[in-house]
Amino acid sequence: MTQHDLVFLYEASIAGKPLRFFWPPVGRPDFPWVAITDLLVLSYLTPGQQQTVLEKCRNGPFREGFRRCAHAGAILTACPAIYARDLCDGLSDEGHMDPATIDKFIDLNTKAFKVQANGMPDRGPEWLFQAMGAHVDFSWP
């Protein structure tokens, strides 16, 4: 099952592989969401290990932060970029992802945020603080 409240925002690539970003779910002030599926392809995990990580993310304690969505004929799992970064850091710590890949992801996330910000000129600065707060107390539905 896919959820249709994630709208495509921005696409870039790392090592010739796509990295897709999405607007946050409707009604949720947040930074861009990223296809964690795309990031896992850039790791050193086997496809089976990637699938296990995705299942644990979608069924774990922060499962509301992981959404399946359809884009360009593919079923992806997206999450807030802050979750993705933590996951990538953990993979790097265990030798499963190149730190240079994470640096490139961070750079592309900044570009996605700029695209997002350009698309919401009516938003005041309080929106940004609400978005940051969403990841401090983890109380968002």
Side-chain angles (χ1 to χ4, degrees), residues 1-6 67-71 74-77:
M1 179 172 120
T2 61
Q3 297 169 342
H4 300 285
D5 63 345
L6 293 180
R67 308 253 178 124
R68 293 177 74 164
C69 62
H71 177 71
I75 302 296
L76 305 170
T77 297

Side-chain angles (χ1 to χ4, degrees), residues 80-99:
I82 195 167
Y83 288 12
R85 183 170 178 187
D86 286 347
L87 182 59
C88 290
D89 285 342
L91 289 170
S92 177
D93 289 348
E94 296 298 320
H96 297 296
M97 184 172 274
D98 182 353

Side-chain angles (χ1 to χ4, degrees), residues 10-106:
Y10 175 75
E11 181 173 335
S13 66
I14 297 177
K17 295 180 179 152
L19 182 61
R20 293 164 278 200
F21 293 87
F22 297 86
W23 287 89
V26 174
R28 177 179 171 149
D30 206 342
F31 298 106
W33 282 39
V34 63
I36 193 69
T37 317
D38 292 347
L39 281 170
L40 288 173
V41 167
L42 296 166
S43 73
Y44 304 135
L45 299 175
T46 66
Q49 291 169 324
Q50 292 172 35
Q51 188 61 36
T52 298
V53 169
L54 287 174
E55 288 172 14
K56 291 197 178 287
C57 290
R58 289 192 303 250
N59 297 313
F62 300 105
R63 64 185 159 273
E64 285 81 18
F66 292 85
R67 308 253 178 124
R68 293 177 74 164
C69 62
H71 177 71
I75 302 296
L76 305 170
T77 297
C79 66
I82 195 167
Y83 288 12
R85 183 170 178 187
D86 286 347
L87 182 59
C88 290
D89 285 342
L91 289 170
S92 177
D93 289 348
E94 296 298 320
H96 297 296
M97 184 172 274
D98 182 353
T101 298
I102 299 170
D103 291 343
K104 183 67 175 169
F105 160 56
I106 292 167

